[in-house]
């Protein structure tokens, strides 16, 4: 690495440190509180595993598999993938997803060398193809969680009304599962089924918290468990929780609208060099050839791409605020 590259790297590191120094006082406390909340959710979710109880939905799912598939599905190495599939709401054996990823990587290994001679490019394409199924799964998980958060206030309002009408909690959950579609109706239906099959309420709620790692679900589970242990007006507690979650959801949407301009600016800035290069190449063919044919030009190009990607990710992280 020559002196010029070291200078560029030093400037980038210094700029990143300055930006972090100015933004950390604003985001440090919020980040610490989010870590505590996530740790609390994970601690509550692990209680189901520590008690060595298998949820009824999981047990029913395993019974549909063949003995060989069941043995593969119960391998400890597949546990994180199984959890991710449950959170994404996809009824797919984990071993099939792994097989799909390995098959795609093998196909890329056979096809990519036909049109790419660089080993780095071949490896990059193979890794990208192998990771794509898991990226799609994470995308589905995020969308399902957002859909659950958007639909939960309606489910809680219906739960409060049915409880005020004098119906027991189990029957109220059954009504919500029948009236609502989407993840809220499905999750409440799973709880109702598990309760009917002699699963205690705490285990059913903790299993739902593991499938839906949300602060709203944690608050709902806590309210129900406290009411069952010490008594109280559950309908009133659910009604207050519904209003709080609805206001939080509206605030999140408003915050997302305010930060949308920054995200759009980051995308435009990230794509601008590529669009300008393509435009110059179309207007004047061969304009970029001297840079691409020389070693120094290719090094500058790689540095530019790396800095653009890092800058985009940095702006995206600053604009993405969680509440």
């Amino acid at each position: 690495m020559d002196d010029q590259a070291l200078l560029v790297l030093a400037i980038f590191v210094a700029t990143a440190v300055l930006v972090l120094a100015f933004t950390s006082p604003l985001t440090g406390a919020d980040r610490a509180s989010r870590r505590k909340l996530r740790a609390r959710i994970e601690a509550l979710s692990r209680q189901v595993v520590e008690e060595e109880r298998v949820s009824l939905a999981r047990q029913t799912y395993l019974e549909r598999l063949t003995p060989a598939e069941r043995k593969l599905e119960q391998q400890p190495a597949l546990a994180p993938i199984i959890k991710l599939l449950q959170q994404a709401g996809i009824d797919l054996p984990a071993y099939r997803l792994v097989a799909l990823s390995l098959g795609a990587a093998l196909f890329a290994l056979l096809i990519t060398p036909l049109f790419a001679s660089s080993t780095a490019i071949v490896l990059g394409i193979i890794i990208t193809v192998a990771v794509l199924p898991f990226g799609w799964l994470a995308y589905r998980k995020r969308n399902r969680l957002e859909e659950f958060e958007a639909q939960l206030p309606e489910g809680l309002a219906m739960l409060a009304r049915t409880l005020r009408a004098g119906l027991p909690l189990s029957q109220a959950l059954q009504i919500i599962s029948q009236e609502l579609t989407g993840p809220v109706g499905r999750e409440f239906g799973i709880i109702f089924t598990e309760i009917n099959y002699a699963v205690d309420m705490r285990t059913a709620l903790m299993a739902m918290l593991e499938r839906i790692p949300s602060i709203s679900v944690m608050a709902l589970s806590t309210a129900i468990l406290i009411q069952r242990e010490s008594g109280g007006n559950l309908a009133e507690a659910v009604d207050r929780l519904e209003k709080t979650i609805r206001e939080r959801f509206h605030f999140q949407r408003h915050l997302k609208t305010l930060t949308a301009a920054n995200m759009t600016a980051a995308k435009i800035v990230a794509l601008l060099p590529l669009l300008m290069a393509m435009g110059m190449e179309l207007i004047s063919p061969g304009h970029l050839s001297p840079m691409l044919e020389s070693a120094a030009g290719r090094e500058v190009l790689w540095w530019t791409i790396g800095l653009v990607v890092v800058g985009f990710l940095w702006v995206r992280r600053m604009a993405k605020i969680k509440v």
Side-chain angles (χ1 to χ4, degrees):
M1 185 178 294
D2 55 9
D3 295 339
Q4 185 178 3
L6 288 174
L7 179 61
V8 173
L9 180 61
I11 294 174
F12 170 74
V13 172
T15 306
V17 171
L18 288 175
V19 173
L20 181 62
F22 282 108
T23 57
S24 59
L26 301 176
T27 60
D30 183 56
R31 190 184 303 113
S33 62
R34 291 200 306 268
R35 282 200 299 265
K36 291 180 181 179
L37 289 172
R38 292 196 190 99
R40 177 61 176 164
I41 291 175
E42 292 176 359
L44 288 173
S45 301
R46 282 196 297 268
Q47 291 181 5
V48 181
V49 181
E50 290 172 357
E51 293 176 2
E52 297 183 355
R53 296 179 181 177
V54 181
S55 66
L56 180 64
R58 176 65 180 166
Q59 187 175 1
T60 305
Y61 168 74
L62 290 175
E63 290 176 354
R64 296 201 304 262
L65 302 177
T66 63
E69 289 178 327
R70 195 179 303 119
K71 187 174 182 181
L72 285 173
E73 195 72 4
Q74 291 176 340
Q75 296 298 319
L78 296 179
I81 302 177
I82 293 172
K83 183 177 180 180
L84 187 59
L85 285 167
Q86 291 178 344
Q87 292 174 348
I90 299 175
D91 293 330
L92 178 71
Y95 77 90
R96 292 184 185 176
L97 184 67
V98 175
L100 176 63
S101 176
L102 295 178
L106 181 60
F107 179 77
L109 178 62
L110 297 176
I111 298 300
T112 306
L114 299 179
F115 58 87
S117 57
S118 175
T119 305
I121 295 177
V122 173
L123 289 177
I125 293 176
I126 292 173
I127 294 174
T128 302
V129 170
V131 173
L132 275 178
F134 300 98
W136 171 77
L137 203 61
Y139 173 77
R140 286 289 303 268
K141 170 190 171 183
R142 184 174 64 252
N143 284 353
R144 184 171 185 264
L145 183 59
E146 292 177 356
E147 184 181 358
F148 184 91
E149 292 281 356
Q151 196 183 18
L152 184 59
E154 181 181 357
L156 293 182
M158 188 179 299
L159 178 62
R161 289 195 299 268
T162 52
L163 291 175
R164 286 196 181 95
L167 298 178
L169 178 60
S170 58
Q171 191 171 353
L173 294 174
Q174 182 186 19
I175 292 175
I176 295 174
S177 66
Q178 293 173 350
E179 294 293 332
L180 295 181
T181 58
V184 171
R186 179 179 179 181
E187 291 297 330
F188 281 17
I190 292 175
I191 295 179
F192 169 73
T193 305
E194 291 184 342
I195 293 174
N196 279 351
Y197 282 86
V199 177
D200 63 279
M201 178 64 73
R202 180 180 181 84
T203 302
L205 291 174
M206 293 301 104
M208 183 178 70
L209 181 59
E210 187 175 4
R211 294 188 301 270
I212 307 290
S214 168
I215 297 176
S216 302
V217 176
M218 183 177 67
L220 176 62
S221 304
T222 304
I224 294 176
L225 293 177
I226 290 177
Q227 189 274 338
R228 292 180 68 87
E229 293 176 1
S230 59
N233 192 340
L234 181 58
E236 183 178 353
V238 171
D239 189 52
R240 292 180 180 178
L241 182 61
E242 179 264 332
K243 294 178 180 178
T244 302
I245 293 176
R246 193 180 295 275
E247 292 176 358
R248 178 173 176 265
F249 177 73
H250 289 326
F251 176 74
Q252 286 179 331
R253 286 297 178 92
H254 181 63
L255 188 63
K256 188 176 181 179
T257 303
L258 294 177
T259 58
N262 296 331
M263 292 298 301
T264 303
K267 294 176 182 178
I268 293 175
V269 171
L271 293 176
L272 189 60
L274 177 61
L275 296 177
M276 290 183 63
M278 293 174 61
M280 288 188 295
E281 189 66 21
L282 290 175
I283 296 173
S284 177
H287 182 79
L288 300 177
S289 298
M291 183 180 68
L292 297 177
E293 293 173 356
S294 63
R298 288 193 296 269
E299 184 176 358
V300 171
L301 180 61
W302 284 113
W303 274 100
T304 303
I305 294 174
L307 292 176
V308 168
V309 171
V310 171
F312 171 75
L313 295 177
W314 188 270
V315 174
R316 182 175 180 270
R317 179 179 179 84
M318 292 177 62
K320 189 175 181 181
I321 303 174
K322 294 183 178 181
V323 292

